[in-house]
Amino acid sequence: RPCIVTAIDQRIKVTVTRIQTTEFILHAPEVHLPNYSVPIAELRTNTPKGALFLETLYAHFLERFPQIGGIEIQTTSDFNSSFGFGSSSASTVAFCRGLSELFEILLTKKELFDLCYQTVLSVQGVGSGFDIASAIWGGTIYYVKPASVVEQLDAKEMPLIVGYTGIKADTATLIKQVADQRNKHFAEVEKIFDQIADITESAQLAISGEDWSQTGQLMNSQHK
């Protein structure tokens, strides 16, 4: 089913540099990895959680575009990774784009998406990829997985207030819980999915027309 996703005005920055040693070096203090390193030959072995997406992405990148030597990565973030703003996907996209620039490999947005989405599936096993698409295309988009439809909506700005509960849910766990409910109660859950899709279609029109009152009412309907 389709969804609508918007990029927020907070950024993750990734700097990638070639080094002479055959190491993967990561400086990511926001995920408690100020000076992490691993030999390139040992990528994805005993990887700490904070490095999992970037290390997996680089392993997939090397499979497609073999390189000699190592790399050093520095990440900085405008927001805390615990907020559930898709920071793992955003850093994966920024890192992949940095690699393409560093090694002068031209990637289309769809090729960039495919490489990053492959990474998410390798790490989590499941996921729609909408957060990757948001980081790549930006703005507010109407999205169908896996980037089979990406339509930019006309809304210049979306006035959102985000409240943080202090609890970050695990995406993969929740997806599997929903899948389990769908297996047990297929017709009932499919009906709910259809309703969600209908509301999403209505929201596409409301957002494009910048009708925020209607958009808010539709968001309430989705939550219900």
Side-chain angles (χ1 to χ4, degrees):
R1 308 307 197 285
C3 72
I4 292 171
V5 56
T6 193
I8 60 167
D9 59 350
Q10 305 285 302
R11 293 186 177 273
I12 285 177
K13 301 174 181 69
V14 178
T15 303
V16 193
T17 310
R18 293 176 190 256
I19 57 175
Q20 296 303 311
T21 60
T22 54
E23 290 178 286
F24 176 97
I25 300 175
L26 173 63
H27 308 289
E30 64 274 9
V31 290
H32 312 295
L33 292 174
N35 293 293
Y36 169 76
S37 66
V38 63
I40 296 294
E42 297 176 21
L43 287 174
R44 301 181 70 189
T45 58
N46 300 315
T47 307
K49 185 177 179 181
L52 200 52
F53 281 87
L54 300 194
E55 217 173 287
T56 302
L57 184 282
Y58 196 50
H60 287 314
F61 184 87
L62 290 178
E63 289 171 1
R64 289 189 58 186
F65 310 107
Q67 305 295 332
I68 297 171
I71 57 169
E72 188 167 4
I73 308 142
Q74 176 74 55
T75 70
T76 56
S77 176
D78 291 345
F79 61 93
N80 190 308
S81 63
S82 66
F83 286 174
F85 278 158
S87 56
S88 297
S89 291
S91 59
T92 301
V93 169
F95 178 44
C96 192
R97 183 61 188 270
L99 289 171
S100 71
E101 295 282 341
L102 179 66
F103 296 116
E104 299 180 346
I105 297 167
L106 184 63
L107 295 175
T108 65
K109 287 183 176 180
K110 185 59 168 62
E111 288 170 335
L112 181 61
F113 174 89
D114 289 342
L115 198 49
C116 294
Y117 188 49
Q118 180 187 15
T119 298
V120 169
L121 293 181
S122 293
V123 173
Q124 294 183 172
V126 291
S128 69
F130 72 74
D131 41 4
I132 295 170
S134 181
I136 294 172
W137 277 272
T140 302
I141 57 174
Y142 173 92
Y143 174 86
V144 179
K145 87 176 257 199
S148 57
V149 178
V150 180
E151 294 179 8
Q152 206 89 37
L153 303 189
D154 293 333
K156 305 286 187 298
E157 240 176 68
M158 186 176 292
L160 288 175
I161 296 173
V162 178
Y164 179 49
T165 63
I167 302 168
K168 185 176 179 181
D170 180 71
T171 301
T173 299
L174 289 174
I175 290 172
K176 288 169 183 173
Q177 286 175 355
V178 173
D180 185 54
Q181 287 296 312
R182 183 171 176 266
N183 288 335
K184 291 177 181 176
H185 311 284
F186 182 81
E188 184 180 348
V189 172
E190 282 293 299
K191 183 179 178 181
I192 293 171
F193 284 174
D194 287 340
Q195 291 171 338
I196 288 173
D198 289 342
I199 293 169
T200 302
E201 299 292 350
S202 298
Q204 181 184 16
L205 297 174
I207 292 169
S208 295
E210 298 189 347
D211 185 342
W212 304 128
S213 176
Q214 175 69 1
T215 300
Q217 291 173 27
L218 290 166
M219 289 175 76
N220 288 342
S221 297
Q222 287 286 47
H223 286 159
K224 289 176 184 177

